[in-house]
Amino acid sequence: MNAPATARWGDRYAAVVVAVSTGGIQALRRLLSALPGDFPLPIIVVLHTATSDGYGLCEVLQTHSTLPVTIAEIGDTPGPGVYLAPPGYHLLIERDHRFSLSIDDKVCFVRPSADVLFESAADAWTDRLIGIVLTGANDDGARGLRQLRLRGGHAIVQALDDAEMPSMPEAALRLAGADELVPLAAIAPRLVELASST
């Protein structure tokens, strides 16, 4: 069931970045299905997946989301909606808030890397950024979440006993800590609250 739409959105936060790996498709389905269709912040996602068909993945997630789900494209400025890092590319946020892509070396054995996204987004949006680390089998996202918190952003980590694979949330907690440690079902309502704040 969708969260109730908020009549008046705030301007405290500008964007949401999400790191997710093993168990990620199911986790994203649950998260996106609980967000209202007028959620105002771009949600920018690094999902580690073996598939090279990013557009097929968008179609899968779109069936569970009232927000548009697309692949992030170089030069675009994200608006409301969900943006996935394209398979095989690091996704970065430039200082002017546009997307850029890189085929630099893998980070934490993956490309795209959540660390790369989170660190560049933290530089671009500083304290107006929300970072989320969900289920996953490695430690990608931990370094980036630490940078996000150092720049004043808000960090949400999925509760370890709620994650299909707790390694990624556990690494994030160990290195970066969190402002909130919550089960997946509580994340969408919190995002609505945070997006309503001024």
Side-chain angles (χ1 to χ4, degrees):
M1 182 176 177
N2 284 354
T6 300
R8 184 175 180 180
W9 297 107
D11 58 3
R12 169 66 182 85
Y13 293 101
V16 180
V17 288
V18 179
V20 62
S21 185
T22 307
I25 294 176
Q26 182 60 27
L28 287 173
R29 284 173 173 171
R30 290 180 60 195
L31 174 62
L32 298 180
S33 68
L35 288 171
D38 64 342
F39 186 76
L41 306 181
I43 301 170
I44 307 164
V45 180
V46 163
L47 168 62
H48 305 151
T49 176
T51 181
S52 59
D53 183 9
Y55 293 99
L57 187 56
C58 287
E59 291 177 6
V60 168
L61 294 175
Q62 188 66 76
T63 62
H64 297 269
S65 175
T66 54
L67 296 163
V69 182
T70 60
I71 293 291
E73 295 190 6
I74 191 167
D76 282 356
T77 301
V82 182
Y83 301 85
L84 301 183
Y89 292 87
H90 292 308
L91 176 62
L92 300 93
I93 308 298
E94 298 294 339
R95 293 299 178 95
D96 63 359
H97 304 141
R98 294 180 184 274
F99 289 132
S100 67
L101 301 175
S102 161
I103 54 170
D104 286 346
D105 291 343
K106 292 180 178 180
V107 175
C108 297
F109 307 104
V110 292
R111 188 177 59 227
S113 162
D115 280 336
V116 172
L117 171 62
F118 280 30
E119 289 172 3
S120 65
D123 287 343
W125 279 302
T126 62
D127 65 347
R128 301 188 66 216
L129 185 64
I130 301 167
I132 302 173
V133 176
L134 301 175
T135 176
N138 65 9
D139 61 355
D140 188 32
R143 242 184 11 177
L145 195 71
R146 180 176 62 180
Q147 181 67 17
L148 181 150
R149 296 196 78 202
L150 288 172
R151 299 301 297 268
H154 189 87
I156 298 174
V157 174
Q158 185 176 5
L160 304 185
D161 61 358
D162 183 65
E164 180 175 327
M165 185 64 70
S167 299
M168 226 156 85
E170 189 173 40
L173 283 177
R174 186 171 59 249
L175 188 64
D179 296 293
E180 301 184 59
L181 181 64
V182 294
L184 181 62
I187 294 177
R190 278 300 290 141
L191 286 177
V192 169
E193 291 174 1
L194 291 168
S196 302
S197 59
T198 56

